[in-house]
Amino acid sequence: MPGEPQADCLFCKIVEGQIPATIVRESDTTVAFRDINPQAPTHVLVIPKVHYENAAALAAAEPTIAADVLREAQTVADEEKLESYRIVFNTGAGAGQTVWHAHAHVLGGRGLEWPPG
Ligand code: 5GP
Ligand code: ZN
């Protein structure tokens, strides 16, 4: 079934509490936790509890949950007192995607160059 947990998915395991993570927020549909290899003073991942391989697949199947991810990203930014921040959805290996469970990177707390690398 689309959206069902995948046995080999790291982020499904974090959702299910099988792998520890520094969780900063949880809602009915999302979990937000600190990236293990932070690229900025604040680097939080916001993920849907359901498994879709990227943000576009999530939005196509579960638009309400995709919106929840964006709202949670804003709440993380507020809680981390970020005036400006960046949301990144790496999509595809060529863009650096390594985990095939949709996730928003919320990055802030330093200058963020534009365009990004
Ligand atoms: P991607 O490269 O797919 O856009 O992002 C995956 C992110 O997951 C990376 O920034 C990586 O540091 C992070 N990550 C990988 N494994 C773990 C883990 O076990 N725990 C946490 N908290 N983050 C992880
Ligand atoms: Zn998953």
Side-chain angles (χ1 to χ4, degrees):
M1 281 275 289
E4 291 288 305
Q6 300 296 302
D8 58 350
C9 175
L10 178 65
F11 287 177
C12 284
K13 288 180 180 156
I14 287 177
V15 168
E16 289 166 7
Q18 293 167 7
I19 289 182
T22 305
I23 291 174
V24 297
R25 292 187 56 76
E26 182 167 3
S27 73
D28 286 350
T29 57
T30 65
V31 182
F33 53 94
R34 296 200 188 278
D35 196 293
I36 205 167
N37 182 25
Q39 302 301 313
T42 292
H43 187 172
V44 171
L45 302 174
V46 183
I47 69 171
K49 289 182 173 176
V50 288
H51 178 97
Y52 289 92
E53 76 168 20
N54 59 43
L58 172 68
E62 298 273 9
T64 305
I65 298 178
D68 292 344
V69 169
L70 291 177
R71 254 196 314 276
E72 284 295 308
Q74 174 67 62
T75 304
V76 167
D78 290 344
E79 290 183 354
E80 299 278 317
K81 306 213 177 335
L82 302 179
E83 274 182 30
S84 304
Y85 64 94
R86 185 169 291 156
I87 298 175
V88 174
F89 294 98
N90 292 327
T91 304
Q97 187 175 2
T98 58
V99 178
W100 304 92
H101 179 131
H103 52 282
H105 295 257
V106 180
L107 296 153
R110 63 165 169 80
L112 294 166
E113 288 176 17
W114 189 260

